Amino acid sequence: MTTATTPPTTVPGAVGTAHTRVEGRDKVTGAARYAGEIPFAGLAHGWLVLSTVARGRVLSVGTAPVLDMPGVLTVLHHGNAPRLHLDYIGMLGVPPDPTAAVFQNDRVPHAGWPVALVVAETPEQAREAAEALVVTYEREPHDIELTADRPDAYPVDGHMPAVTEKGDLDAELAACAHVVDVEYTTPEEHHGMMEPHAATALWEGGRLEVVDSNQGTTWVADELARMFSLDASALRVRSEHVGGGFGSKGVRAHQVSAVMAATALQRPVRVVLTRRQMFSLTGYRSPTVQRVRLGADPGGRLRALDHRSVSRTSRVWEFVEPSAGVARVMYDADAHRTSNEAVRLDVPSPTWMRGPGEAPGSFALEAALDELAERCGVDPIELRLRNDPEYGPVSGLPFAGRNLAACFREGARRFGWAERDPRPGVRREGRWLLGTGTAAASFPSGALPSTAAITAEADGTFTVKIAAADIGTGARTALTLVAADALRVAPGRVRVRIGDSDFGPAGIAGGSMGTRSWSWAITAAADELRDRLVPGGAVPPQGITVRSDTTAAVGALAQKERHSFGAQFAEAAVDVTTGEVRVRRMLGIFAAGRIVNPLTARGQLTGGMIWGISMALHEEAVRDSASGALYGADLAGYHVATHADVPAVEADWIDEDQDPDDPVGIKGIGEVGIVGAAAAVANAVWHATGVRHRSLPIRPDRVLEAGGPRV
């Protein structure tokens, strides 16, 4: 039977209107299955054993007693695990992190390094056996201390050049009327998503399948195929529902060890990380030490800008937190220098974490701008507007829309900035001193090549298949709206299927590029499909399918500075007796291109701002210098903002004209919300108390140790 499918003639209108999540009911009723919940016949369970020393080597693994325990099937370790292929550069342009390539040698480069996997019939049996496994080590001295004056700090390129510079910095600083030269520090921070990392590996018909929770099935499939020397067609990765990622859910030890065990036992094996294991194995934001030097003329125009950031990386993998990169976009100066450096230490490998580089970098840069505004006697917003560049300070490229000034003006109006007394420490309510602060935000708006397939079904509906990842952002719903508008049909006629590497290559959910990249591919496929549909014509039972590939189009996009921008505002109250800091209200106004779904977009932006409050006041992972391990590696010891810490947080956006060179018009919003938020809070604390805090988090003890609030 065939059905006539009429290409729609209705005016597109789904994009830009609020829609609840298409999978929302499934999630709240439990019908949506996450990676650790999907049943498999004959499923075995693996439990990782992590090192208890920070540096050294494994001398022995006492497998014999453990193998005699009830339900234990095997113990994998460096003595019996298969050798992996590690000499490659992955699709993200970086080599594999050896922490994920488990059991390849006897070396231990940090505390919490995976040394064995115990596999048993039940998770309880696997855990009991793993805790009973005796591993002996040869311990070596370790070093985990990061300081600004380390002689072994060196520039690291990462995904941007390590160093940029122009002009004579020393000469310009010497000639400036106002100079700020300050050091800021941020601590080690962790992703802490609700859903732990989990993966199940199984072989069926000579093909490996991995059911996972990740930020890109194409990414994970590519890495696993390379590690295990498999043809790409022999591997499928599925990841339909993800309970949070934030940069952490890439290729990790649990997927690799699950594949090893499934191959050895020829049965499905699931490995789920515990919360404590996540603190060692899934990456984190490196602590940073940042020196910012700013020099301005009497009117506040920047003549010199120097931003140096030092972060740490592990001994086995080079990763830099590019905190100085934000200065390359935000402000220009006659002499301009930025540097991202790293120090190799005996610690786990850091990784991308929401707003990588921009989040800690904006704290230092935007706090330094606030200090400069005070020195110049200029309003903090006015100082930023006087230094709003027309071209990229480093690239020299034009901006494809830079509406930062409009964000500040609208935010100042709605926040009531004009009524602010610029003097610090003058507003008081009982035991609380009150202050307000502001900061700018930016995050790159990039795109990754992607493919998509759309089928016009015989029943008049459309099926979209794309290897996208919805990591809790509402991407599935956004793509439904984009497809509906591109096809010119109602959203109810569109089904979007995601999270399957068999759907073809697609960009990751990362770098705020996901929705933009996938929408581009879906729109291209929809345009071609509309052209192929004949009004009133019959669609065969198998449907009509078209596939798009945006590789050439993305590569041909005109070179411009493409970013989302925003202005952050915060009001803070500081208890004069205890040093407690409370954020009373926050407002963020953003310029982020086409907003696909206002409902989920607002949630993304406010979520980032709340994380900024958490970053400013709570989050801090502390390592024991003696053991090299974390104190309190759980969500009891690692504090995050909770409902009691979150005030009235409001996010909104301004309308932007679309860049004529950009066929999509969508900019990322997943990360710009956290950028500048911590700086706005820190600047508000200064305004309340008259005391600058240059190290995060701003704990009560630090407030009191700094001399307490100025009464």
Side-chain angles (χ1 to χ4, degrees):
M1 177 180 179
T2 59
T3 302
T5 298
T6 303
T9 57
T10 55
V11 177
V15 170
T17 58
H19 284 259
T20 57
R21 296 172 186 256
V22 296
E23 83 285 7
R25 181 178 292 274
D26 287 346
K27 285 186 173 178
V28 299
T29 60
R33 294 287 185 91
Y34 290 82
E37 301 173 328
I38 300 172
F40 292 92
L43 180 64
H45 300 268
W47 200 279
L48 283 164
V49 178
L50 308 187
S51 71
T52 57
V53 302
R55 185 174 181 178
R57 66 186 186 93
V58 176
L59 295 178
S60 65
V61 181
T63 58
V66 167
L67 289 170
D68 289 335
M69 295 180 69
V72 174
L73 301 170
T74 190
V75 179
L76 296 176
H77 53 87
H78 72 276
N80 61 5
R83 300 299 97 181
L84 299 175
H85 174 62
L86 301 177
D87 186 18
Y88 68 88
I89 300 297
M91 64 174 288
L92 298 186
V94 296
D97 180 354
T99 307
V102 292
F103 318 140
Q104 296 302 288
N105 55 59
D106 64 357
R107 295 299 307 170
V108 175
H110 63 74
W113 176 263
V115 295
L117 178 79
V118 177
V119 186
E121 296 286 355
T122 70
E124 294 80 9
Q125 291 171 332
R127 178 173 187 168
E128 182 181 7
E131 292 175 350
L133 184 69
V134 176
V135 181
T136 58
Y137 304 91
E138 180 183 286
R139 188 187 300 265
E140 299 173 3
H142 63 266
D143 180 7
I144 65 169
E145 298 301 322
L146 175 68
T147 59
D149 57 354
R150 293 217 36 147
D152 50 348
Y154 65 100
V156 180
D157 285 341
H159 64 273
M160 64 176 66
V163 178
T164 65
E165 53 188 331
K166 66 179 181 181
D168 189 331
L169 191 67
D170 291 336
E172 290 292 345
L173 284 170
C176 285
H178 305 286
V179 175
V180 168
D181 185 348
V182 283
E183 183 178 281
Y184 300 88
T185 65
T186 61
E188 179 178 329
E189 299 168 356
H190 285 258
H191 302 75
M193 70 292 296
M194 291 178 65
E195 180 204 20
H197 296 60
T200 303
L202 63 153
W203 288 90
E204 283 192 354
R207 193 177 192 219
L208 175 65
E209 181 167 343
V210 177
V211 179
D212 190 24
S213 176
N214 63 52
Q215 294 182 231
T217 55
T218 301
W219 175 23
V220 174
D222 177 76
E223 295 267 341
L224 291 178
R226 291 171 184 266
M227 281 189 185
F228 286 92
S229 301
L230 298 173
D231 188 270
S233 63
L235 175 62
R236 180 189 188 190
V237 176
R238 292 192 290 127
S239 178
E240 185 175 1
H241 295 290
V242 181
F246 309 120
S248 171
K249 285 187 173 172
V251 181
R252 302 291 177 194
H254 64 292
Q255 299 123 319
V256 177
S257 60
V259 172
M260 285 181 173
T263 303
L265 297 174
Q266 287 299 298
R267 60 185 286 187
V269 175
R270 173 174 294 156
V271 178
V272 180
L273 299 185
T274 67
R275 180 65 62 183
R276 292 186 67 86
Q277 289 175 341
M278 288 168 62
F279 277 82
S280 296
L281 297 179
T282 64
Y284 57 94
R285 195 194 308 280
S286 168
T288 69
V289 182
Q290 302 177 59
R291 184 187 183 189
V292 179
R293 294 191 291 170
L294 302 175
D297 64 19
R301 187 184 72 83
L302 285 172
R303 294 183 57 179
L305 186 157
D306 181 26
H307 190 171
R308 176 184 183 246
S309 174
V310 181
S311 60
R312 73 182 183 205
T313 189
S314 68
R315 302 280 187 192
V316 296
W317 197 53
E318 185 178 76
F319 182 90
V320 63
E321 182 73 23
S323 301
V326 67
R328 303 175 187 182
V329 174
M330 292 307 299
Y331 308 107
D332 201 357
D334 300 314
H336 194 288
R337 186 181 190 279
T338 63
S339 175
N340 291 310
E341 303 174 24
V343 178
R344 289 187 179 273
L345 296 170
D346 303 309
V347 294
S349 300
T351 192
W352 299 281
M353 183 168 160
R354 195 175 195 175
E358 276 80 2
S362 66
F363 163 64
L365 182 63
E366 293 296 317
L369 258 291
D370 208 65
E371 298 199 39
L372 182 64
E374 181 190 4
R375 300 274 181 91
C376 295
V378 177
D379 178 83
I381 294 178
E382 179 59 30
L383 182 77
R384 287 167 172 82
L385 297 182
R386 291 181 188 180
N387 289 284
D388 196 20
E390 295 184 12
Y391 297 91
V394 172
S395 70
L397 295 172
F399 286 96
R402 182 183 170 104
N403 290 309
L404 179 62
C407 292
F408 268 116
R409 292 189 179 102
E410 175 63 11
R413 182 188 68 80
R414 291 172 55 169
F415 194 74
W417 188 262
E419 289 75 44
R420 177 184 191 258
D421 187 329
R423 297 173 299 167
V426 298
R427 285 181 62 202
R428 184 162 183 162
E429 289 182 3
R431 72 179 194 273
W432 298 96
L433 287 173
L434 305 181
T436 52
T438 190
S442 75
F443 199 80
S445 176
L448 294 170
S450 298
T451 64
I454 304 181
T455 301
E457 307 287 1
D459 63 0
T461 63
F462 297 85
T463 301
V464 178
K465 293 182 179 180
I466 185 167
D470 190 336
I471 58 173
T473 58
R476 185 187 274 101
T477 306
L479 298 182
T480 299
L481 304 184
V482 168
D485 272 12
L487 293 165
R488 299 176 187 168
V489 300
R493 289 177 61 185
V494 177
R495 292 185 300 271
V496 174
R497 296 183 58 194
I498 65 173
D500 191 330
S501 63
D502 275 0
F503 293 163
I508 64 169
S512 294
M513 294 184 286
T515 300
R516 173 174 163 80
S517 303
W518 307 322
S519 295
W520 196 337
I522 288 172
T523 301
D527 289 346
E528 182 181 342
L529 180 58
R530 283 201 332 272
D531 290 341
R532 291 182 57 181
L533 292 177
V534 178
V539 175
Q542 71 272 21
I544 299 174
T545 300
V546 299
R547 170 171 286 278
S548 66
D549 185 341
T550 63
T551 302
V554 170
L557 190 62
Q559 292 297 303
K560 293 182 179 180
E561 288 277 3
R562 291 185 169 85
H563 305 267
S564 296
F565 290 97
Q568 303 272 20
F569 297 83
E571 180 179 33
V574 183
D575 189 313
V576 298
T577 304
T578 66
E580 177 187 3
V581 178
R582 288 280 182 179
V583 175
R584 289 194 167 185
R585 60 188 176 110
M586 284 195 76
L587 170 67
I589 302 294
F590 301 93
R594 292 173 65 207
I595 300 299
V596 178
N597 185 356
L599 184 63
T600 52
R602 187 165 279 108
Q604 281 296 291
L605 293 170
T606 56
M609 294 165 67
I610 291 167
W611 200 333
I613 296 173
S614 195
M615 178 180 177
L617 304 181
H618 300 284
E619 296 192 40
E620 181 181 25
V622 179
R623 291 192 174 271
D624 176 18
S625 59
S627 69
L630 288 175
Y631 292 106
D634 50 46
L635 292 183
Y638 181 79
H639 293 174
V640 299
T642 62
H643 286 295
D645 303 299
V646 177
V649 178
E650 182 182 0
D652 209 343
W653 44 85
I654 62 173
D655 293 331
E656 286 198 293
D657 294 331
Q658 186 167 338
D659 174 11
D661 296 324
D662 185 352
V664 185
I666 297 170
K667 296 181 179 179
I669 57 173
E671 292 168 281
V672 71
I674 192 176
V675 181
V681 173
N683 292 339
V685 171
W686 167 80
H687 187 233
T689 65
V691 177
R692 293 284 180 187
H693 289 272
R694 302 186 180 102
S695 294
L696 297 183
I698 306 173
R699 304 188 313 249
D701 61 308
R702 286 179 170 170
V703 173
L704 297 177
E705 287 172 2
R710 191 169 72 182
V711 183

